[in-house]
Amino acid sequence: MMPRHARNPHRVQVRNTHELYYLRTQQAQEKMERSEKRSKERLRVCVATCNRADYSKLAPIMFGIKSHPEIFDLEVVVLGSHLIDDYGNTFRMILQDEFDICSKLHTIVRGEDEAAMVESVGLALVKLPDVFQRLAPDILLVHGDRFDALALATAAALMNIRILHLEGGEVSGTIDDSIRHAISKLAHYHAVCTRTAERHLISMCEDHSRILLAGCPSYDKLLSAHQRDDYTDIIKSWLGNDVKEQSYIVALQHPVTTDIQNSIKIYDLMLEALISFNKRTLILFPNIDAGSKEMVRVMRRKGIEQHPNFRAVKHVPFDQFIQLVAHAGCMIGNSSCGVREAGAFGTPVINLGTRQTGRETGENVLHVRDADTHNKIYHALELQFGKRYPCSKIYGDGNAVQRILKFMQSIDLSEPLQKKFCFPPVKECISQDIDHILETQSALAVDLGGTNLRVAIVCMKGKVVKKYNQPNPKTFEERLELMLTMCKQAMADAVHLNCRILGVGVSTGGRVNPQDGIVLHSTKLINEWTSVDIRTPISSALHLPVWVDNDGNCAALAERKFGHGKGVENFVTIITGTGIGGGIIQHNELIHGNTFCAAELGHIVVSLEGPECMCGSHGCIEAYSSGLALQREAKRLHDEDLLLVEGMTVNNKEQVNAVHLLDAARLGNSKAESILHTAGTALGLGIVNILHMINPSLVILSGVLAKHYEKPVRQVINQRALLSAQGTKVMVSELEDPALLGAASMVLDYTTRRTY
């Protein structure tokens, strides 16, 4: 029989330290030899370009690769609309740039509708395998979010070719998002333009070590564009000798394939507005996406190609196009160039429709999301034309190409090709074996209040299926034990209620680090909760993922998912209860702040010499408007025999509280009325400060005192807010349990849609 180590050479039994040293030395030598061998071989990089737009991003990298022939071997593949006469035969500009084209693939099926796009992807997939087998690239460089690029990435991934994707992680609000993210999932490496795009890819479970924050390659050229001296000649060659800098418009509108009819309507209205605005306009034909034929028909029906104010063209070389954009009086349409490249020059831009919704933009961009007549677009032209804005570097600093070249050199071709996804750790659910009988997806919601501890089973629609309520013990150990007991009881009941528990959400007072599930500092109502890890003991005991957040933030999340904030991009929730708290939703996201104390709205100071607050300061909203503040004032009036009026009694054993003050005011007690007026005014002043700081479109008052404060808050806003903020809506929440519903929404959003 053969010895064991001979049967399996990968399992060598090391007998002594000398043998171990020898093996390590041998492995180091082999690794060095592999590295030296690779350094002598050139990296074969295939750059595939589909249209004029992606070539403008790829060309700077191609020039960079070409300038290092000792390191890289460049192979250029051209397909898509580059090879179509109606779109300018733009492959010629690649030849003019003195690049050798290895393969030209005619992949476009004409028709310019949805079916033609699908057929074009299929045709590309039929033709690409032969090209990739012949070229055998080490890396395929693919850009953006075109359907042609999806075909490239699909073919390369299935043929075990490493893919470097440019400009992944961005958001634009159309079918392009789906295509872009699909390419990102196929790609092995990423070069992104912005920090936000990088975070998006990380949240999509991409490996952070394979993401390069490079900036946009076209910015390397853009940021030096103002140094070109012949821009006036370029303007005259395209628009006429009588046209001067900043006296003309560049228009470029593409179809939105998920809403073609609305695209055509917006395009029609844009042309109407441009005709009425009566300025010289360079208008480029739309791209080849579905709906482009109809848009061209609209252009020709209006006689744009013969109109004296318009110059309609199919293609402008990129180096000339950026000069025209840089020195235009305005750019209009929905091209990504408007929301990205134009910002580098401070050119005013009007972005029409939804095609670029979600893109990061500079202050130079004015959005017209929808319009029923051309008047809105015309007014936007009046506002933007001829302005200049500060130059924006959101998308790059001019050094993207060098970063990308260095990044490609660092790719280790000996590493396994199979990419790994970095999924967040989620503990295995103990009830997996009975999932088939549990139909209703639900969350366990925990509300850790100052008086009571509440647990509830909350289903996806926001219905509280069952609720549990117990007095909150005083010590940490007792609270945690009771919480776990109540959660375990709820989980047992959930089986009989046909509910599948997805996770646990905890709402608590004080400052919370939701990333780690730690209560950093609690309110005085809940003692001993300082730097307490709530997530770990609950997750370990229940074998469920756990989310923890401040009760004010949870109230805002509840409104976003189930209440008045549903579908509202920017709003603020104010909780009026024992204390004053709240949450801020900005661009559909909950704001936590640098040290997790954003939205401590109760501690906005409205008076330098006001009453003392529980936080130790003076004049906070909470010191005037909270339930505790009203209770304090009620006791003071009662001690002075000024509280009770006819129709009121207070039992000697009964503690005077805020309800008594409200009753006294309702029955005509002028002192109580004055206190409530002061409380409402203080809250209103705080909300005015909020309106001036973050300008939400909606303020939601939540909690037991909300309906009492609605009227005075509206009055203060009308009296004290800036005119532009006076129209902000103020609504009273209709949710019965915002803390519980918010705690549940953390679970339901993340586990079902990965949005939290």
Side-chain angles (χ1 to χ4, degrees):
M1 178 178 281
M2 295 177 65
R4 185 170 182 177
H5 70 272
R7 294 198 310 272
N8 188 350
H10 299 288
R11 298 183 62 182
V12 179
Q13 185 178 1
V14 179
R15 297 178 179 177
N16 53 55
T17 56
H18 297 289
E19 189 173 353
L20 178 62
Y21 173 75
Y22 170 77
L23 286 173
R24 288 178 177 172
T25 305
Q26 189 179 41
Q27 290 168 358
Q29 182 66 28
E30 289 173 355
K31 186 175 181 180
M32 186 180 300
E33 289 173 358
R34 287 197 303 268
S35 178
E36 289 175 354
K37 181 180 178 181
R38 186 180 163 221
S39 66
K40 295 175 183 177
E41 297 176 355
R42 293 191 299 172
L43 192 67
R44 296 190 303 279
V45 181
C46 177
V47 178
T49 173
C50 310
N51 55 57
R52 67 192 181 198
D54 75 14
Y55 180 67
S56 68
K57 311 293 177 66
L58 294 168
I61 304 173
M62 292 164 65
F63 279 113
I65 292 172
K66 190 176 179 180
S67 66
H68 293 87
E70 74 286 357
I71 302 174
F72 301 105
D73 183 8
L74 176 63
E75 298 158 337
V76 180
V77 175
V78 174
L79 64 158
S81 59
H82 271 309
L83 304 171
I84 297 180
D85 181 62
D86 286 353
Y87 293 89
N89 280 325
T90 49
F91 76 91
R92 293 187 183 123
M93 64 185 180
I94 302 173
L95 297 175
Q96 290 169 359
D97 286 339
E98 299 182 349
F99 290 112
D100 295 328
I101 298 177
C102 300
S103 292
K104 294 179 187 174
L105 298 180
H106 292 271
T107 58
I108 296 299
V109 176
R110 300 306 301 273
E112 285 78 28
D113 60 12
E114 294 95 334
M117 292 167 63
V118 177
E119 291 170 356
S120 297
V121 172
L123 183 57
L125 287 171
V126 169
K127 293 186 174 185
L128 282 168
D130 288 340
V131 174
F132 286 156
Q133 280 184 334
R134 176 168 53 84
L135 299 178
D138 296 316
I139 298 171
L140 171 70
L141 201 58
V142 62
H143 167 269
D145 49 30
R146 301 285 301 151
F147 59 86
D148 322 69
L150 179 59
L152 284 162
T154 302
L158 292 173
M159 295 182 70
N160 291 326
I161 297 170
R162 297 170 193 272
I163 303 167
L164 172 56
H165 185 207
L166 299 181
E167 298 188 5
E170 297 184 13
V171 177
S172 56
T174 67
I175 189 64
D176 293 350
D177 278 346
S178 298
I179 295 175
R180 185 186 309 110
H181 300 333
I183 296 172
S184 292
K185 302 318 293 179
L186 292 168
H188 305 86
Y189 306 93
H190 310 272
V192 299
C193 296
T194 68
R195 182 72 66 184
T196 299
E198 180 186 36
R199 289 198 295 265
H200 287 164
L201 284 179
I202 293 171
S203 69
M204 289 163 60
C205 305
E206 293 297 310
D207 186 347
H208 184 266
S209 67
R210 294 193 172 194
I211 303 172
L212 170 70
L213 178 56
C216 182
S218 63
Y219 266 51
D220 291 17
K221 198 172 195 178
L222 289 170
L223 295 177
S224 60
H226 282 296
Q227 299 172 4
R228 186 162 173 171
D229 297 327
D230 63 343
Y231 70 87
T232 55
D233 296 332
I234 294 173
I235 294 171
K236 290 176 181 178
S237 68
W238 288 98
L239 288 152
N241 292 328
D242 59 332
V243 178
K244 295 182 171 56
E245 180 181 5
Q246 296 183 30
S247 67
Y248 62 90
I249 297 169
V250 174
L252 179 53
Q253 180 89 356
H254 299 304
V256 177
T257 57
T258 52
D259 194 2
I260 293 173
Q261 292 306 312
N262 192 57
S263 293
I264 297 167
K265 182 194 81 169
I266 292 288
Y267 191 62
D268 191 315
L269 296 176
M270 179 190 76
L271 296 178
E272 285 288 335
L274 288 170
I275 292 170
S276 301
F277 200 64
N278 198 30
K279 298 291 182 184
R280 194 67 60 86
T281 301
L282 178 72
I283 184 166
L284 280 81
F285 278 61
N287 65 23
I288 201 169
D289 284 349
S292 60
K293 277 196 308 186
E294 290 84 350
M295 293 174 73
V296 172
R297 288 194 193 106
V298 171
M299 181 195 297
R300 287 175 175 160
R301 190 169 63 244
K302 293 183 178 295
I304 295 299
E305 291 169 289
Q306 291 77 41
H307 196 288
N309 269 349
F310 287 83
R311 174 78 189 280
V313 299
K314 294 176 180 176
H315 169 66
V316 179
F318 182 71
D319 58 340
Q320 297 182 41
F321 181 66
I322 60 174
Q323 293 298 320
L324 292 166
V325 171
H327 300 285
C330 181
M331 184 176 183
I332 187 170
N334 64 2
S335 168
S336 62
C337 177
V339 298
R340 293 167 60 100
E341 282 86 349
F345 312 112
T347 301
V349 172
I350 300 169
N351 179 53
L352 301 178
T354 60
R355 187 170 183 262
Q356 303 299 339
T357 299
R359 291 272 194 196
E360 296 173 76
T361 64
E363 59 182 289
N364 64 309
V365 179
L366 176 64
H367 297 278
V368 180
R369 304 296 186 192
D370 198 6
D372 293 320
T373 69
H374 77 276
N375 293 336
K376 188 185 289 187
I377 301 174
Y378 185 90
H379 185 55
L381 285 165
E382 288 182 316
L383 290 173
Q384 287 288 76
F385 186 79
K387 280 187 179 181
R388 300 316 286 178
Y389 289 89
C391 295
S392 168
K393 291 187 178 180
I394 293 174
Y395 287 94
D397 60 1
N399 297 301
V401 171
Q402 292 306 314
R403 294 190 184 105
I404 292 171
L405 295 181
K406 187 175 179 181
F407 185 60
M408 285 195 294
Q409 285 179 263
S410 70
I411 293 174
D412 186 356
L413 299 180
S414 66
E415 285 185 352
L417 183 67
Q418 176 62 49
K419 68 180 291 185
K420 295 181 179 179
F421 299 103
C422 299
F423 294 110
V426 178
K427 293 199 174 183
E428 186 176 332
C429 179
I430 59 174
S431 60
Q432 277 189 2
D433 58 325
I434 58 167
D435 274 355
H436 62 283
I437 66 167
L438 302 178
E439 297 176 358
T440 306
Q441 292 184 320
S442 304
L444 277 189
V446 178
D447 178 24
L448 183 63
T451 304
N452 293 318
L453 176 61
R454 300 189 301 155
V455 174
I457 302 171
V458 181
C459 73
M460 190 65 66
K461 294 182 179 180
K463 177 185 175 183
V464 177
V465 180
K466 190 169 184 179
K467 192 188 300 184
Y468 310 79
N469 195 343
Q470 292 287 343
N472 203 352
K474 294 183 179 181
T475 67
F476 163 73
E477 292 79 8
E478 290 174 327
R479 289 186 198 121
L480 185 59
E481 183 178 353
L482 177 60
M483 191 188 310
L484 292 175
T485 301
M486 294 171 71
C487 286
K488 288 176 181 177
Q489 180 61 54
M491 288 178 63
D493 293 344
V495 176
H496 303 291
L497 294 168
N498 212 27
C499 295
R500 181 156 73 98
I501 302 299
L502 301 175
V504 183
V506 180
S507 168
T508 180
R511 188 163 65 94
V512 177
N513 176 348
Q515 297 173 3
D516 299 328
I518 294 175
V519 178
L520 300 173
H521 299 290
S522 66
T523 63
K524 288 186 178 180
L525 299 174
I526 310 172
N527 296 321
E528 299 179 16
W529 290 77
T530 301
S531 297
V532 171
D533 180 358
I534 295 183
R535 173 180 293 164
T536 300
I538 298 177
S539 181
S540 298
L542 303 181
H543 302 282
L544 287 171
V546 177
W547 288 264
V548 185
D549 213 330
N550 168 269
D551 52 7
N553 289 336
C554 286
L557 292 174
E559 295 293 342
R560 186 182 72 174
K561 189 168 182 67
F562 304 114
H564 293 312
K566 195 171 185 177
V568 181
E569 189 175 21
N570 302 298
F571 70 90
V572 174
T573 298
I574 312 285
I575 300 179
T576 58
T578 307
I580 300 289
I584 299 170
I585 300 291
Q586 195 79 349
H587 302 305
N588 295 315
E589 294 295 331
L590 182 65
I591 302 299
H592 284 103
N594 183 49
T595 57
F596 310 104
C597 67
E600 287 289 352
L601 307 180
H603 300 293
I604 295 176
V605 176
V606 293
S607 173
L608 295 178
E609 298 179 355
E612 184 178 1
C613 180
M614 291 183 70
C615 70
S617 182
H618 287 263
C620 299
I621 298 175
E622 190 168 293
Y624 285 103
S625 312
S626 66
L628 285 177
L630 298 184
Q631 181 181 38
R632 180 194 66 226
E633 292 301 305
K635 287 181 177 179
R636 180 179 61 81
L637 290 181
H638 186 60
D639 291 343
E640 297 173 3
D641 293 328
L642 298 175
L643 177 65
L644 300 183
V645 294
E646 186 176 350
M648 279 187 67
T649 58
V650 176
N651 192 310
N652 291 333
K653 297 181 180 179
E654 186 179 5
Q655 186 178 14
V656 176
N657 55 42
V659 175
H660 296 108
L661 187 74
L662 295 172
D663 288 342
R666 179 174 53 82
L667 294 172
N669 185 323
S670 59
K671 297 287 186 181
E673 288 176 346
S674 176
I675 291 169
L676 284 180
H677 176 75
T678 301
T681 302
L683 181 62
L685 288 173
I687 291 175
V688 167
N689 289 331
I690 296 169
L691 300 185
H692 292 168
M693 281 189 289
I694 59 175
N695 192 26
S697 60
L698 173 65
V699 174
I700 302 172
L701 299 178
S702 180
V704 294
L705 298 172
K707 62 182 180 181
H708 299 286
Y709 286 143
E710 181 183 11
K711 184 177 179 180
V713 164
R714 291 181 189 273
Q715 291 174 343
V716 174
I717 291 175
N718 290 333
Q719 295 167 0
R720 301 293 189 98
L722 294 173
L723 186 62
S724 57
Q726 287 179 10
T728 306
K729 289 183 180 179
V730 178
M731 303 179 76
V732 174
S733 174
E734 296 177 354
L735 301 179
E736 291 184 5
D737 290 298
L740 286 174
L741 291 178
S745 75
M746 291 189 288
V747 178
L748 299 175
D749 278 349
Y750 186 86
T751 54
T752 58
R753 292 189 289 122
R754 304 286 180 185
T755 60
Y756 180 73

